[in-house]
Every structure is written in structure tokens, then in C-alpha cells.
Amino acid sequence: MDVRSFQLADYRPVTELLETVLSEECYEQTMEAFGRQLSWDSELVLVAAVEDEIAGIIIGTIDKGRGYYYRIAVHPNYQRQGLGKELIRSLRGRFEQRNVTKIMVTADEHNEPILSLYESLGYATTDFFRSFQKLSIVAG
């Protein structure tokens, strides 16, 4: 497995992955945020490739000195094999390189089922960002 920054050639396999893994509503929200984040800072969008196949993606953003895990998706064929954890660790490294003051996990209705994944990596409920407003992944 290779975790690396998103590249333009990844666009089609990433959108197919997101469409496979996410609900329709979550997919639409994620694609909006994905496009905005790519235009602002594509270094915070990471993919996990297994033998040149995109198996997972994580989208992060930084707002006012805080790093946010926004969305993570791993193809069903690769789930429960450590890809999600590796994506989270890799994005955390990017956040730390940028000297963020705090790292938060976006805990919207779509992420609720996977919050235990973040907890298994040492994040606590105090690290979960719950808001009915869109993250400033919208506002920059």
C-alpha cells in the first residue's frame, strides 16, 4: 500500500470509490468539499493505492490553525486491513508539519459510524467536531 497526495489522474477512480462507499447525500456533500479542498490545498487530500488501484481516500482541511479530518472512505474490498488507520496517520503527519494547534474529527451524521476508528487511534470524544453548520472547508 502506498499513501500519497491526490493526483489529477486519481479523479475518476476516487469519484467511483466515493460513489461506491458513501450514501447519495453524503457523496454529494463530499464531492463539493472535495472540489473546494483540491482548489485550496490538495496536499491535504490523500489516497491509498494498492497495486495502482485507489483503495481509499481521506480529505482534510485546516481552518484557523486547526486540522480537521473531514471524510474518509475505503473500498469494501480493502476495509478492515489497516488502510483507514494509515490514511489517518498520514494526514495527521501533514497536519503536524503545518503546526496546527489542534486536530479535530468532523463528526457529522455520515461519520458517526466510524468514530470508533478514530478512537482506536487515540482520539477522544473531545476531539470530535459536531456542528450543524458546514466546516469552513466551505469558507476557507
Side-chain angles (χ1 to χ4, degrees), residues 9 27 76 80 83 87-88 92 105 107 113 116 122 129 132-133 137:
Y27 173 79
R80 304 207 176 277
L83 267 76
L87 283 163
I88 292 167
R92 180 184 184 97
V105 178
S116 60
F129 177 78
F132 294 105
Q133 298 177 351
I137 195 167

Side-chain angles (χ1 to χ4, degrees), residues 44-118:
L44 297 177
V45 178
L46 304 178
V47 296
V50 177
E51 297 179 12
D52 295 328
E53 181 181 351
I54 300 299
I57 181 172
I58 191 164
I59 302 168
T61 194
I62 295 175
D63 181 41
K64 299 178 184 162
R66 289 182 172 203
Y68 291 88
Y69 296 106
Y70 174 69
R71 187 77 70 225
I72 186 170
V74 175
H75 191 281
N77 294 345
Y78 297 99
Q79 290 177 3
R80 304 207 176 277
Q81 296 178 27
L83 267 76
K85 288 181 179 181
E86 194 55 40
L87 283 163
I88 292 167
R89 284 186 197 107
S90 295
L91 185 55
R92 180 184 184 97
R94 300 268 171 115
F95 287 150
E96 289 171 349
Q97 288 172 350
R98 306 275 185 97
N99 299 314
V100 299
T101 56
K102 180 139 179 80
I103 299 174
M104 305 291 289
V105 178
T106 304
D108 62 13
E109 72 233 47
H110 306 296
N111 282 346
E112 285 289 335
I114 62 157
L115 293 181
S116 60
L117 172 63
Y118 289 97

